[in-house]
Amino acid sequence: MSAQVITDAETALGHLERLTDVLRADGWTVEVAAPEDRRPTAIVVNPRMRALHEHVIAVREESGDGWAYFYGWGEKIAPCTDPFGAAAALGRVLASRDN
């Protein structure tokens, strides 16, 4: 009998894919990168002003077994159980004046 082990990188990627689905449904441009030597990252781009973009990672929280989305600079966005809240926060950060 074989056992399947899910790594933190695979779990993080799953969380990012759920966030990506929400963001794309709202019209954002998103690319997910999962290089072997780094954390999986979602690059979220404002399609109206491509210079406005953010890197997002999913990280296991230190205070338990929960996961959260974080900006590339380390600020928490929202728990991974709330991809809609994370998408709304990203939308506010990446909004241009004409959005």
Side-chain angles (χ1 to χ4, degrees), residues 21-64:
D21 290 343
V22 173
L23 289 164
R24 287 185 177 147
D26 286 344
W28 296 94
T29 301
V30 186
E31 181 179 325
V32 176
E36 236 179 81
D37 61 338
R38 293 191 334 245
R39 293 180 191 269
T41 304
I43 303 163
V44 184
V45 180
N46 181 328
R48 295 176 147 186
M49 186 176 283
R50 298 194 63 76
L52 295 175
H53 62 278
E54 286 296 340
H55 292 250
V56 178
I57 59 174
V59 178
R60 183 186 302 270
E61 295 194 275
E62 292 179 13
S63 61

Side-chain angles (χ1 to χ4, degrees), residues 19 23 28 54 71 76-78 82-95:
L19 177 61
L23 289 164
W28 296 94
E54 286 296 340
Y71 293 106
K76 184 177 177 178
I77 302 169
D82 187 13
F84 291 95
L90 283 159
R92 288 188 297 274
V93 168
L94 294 174

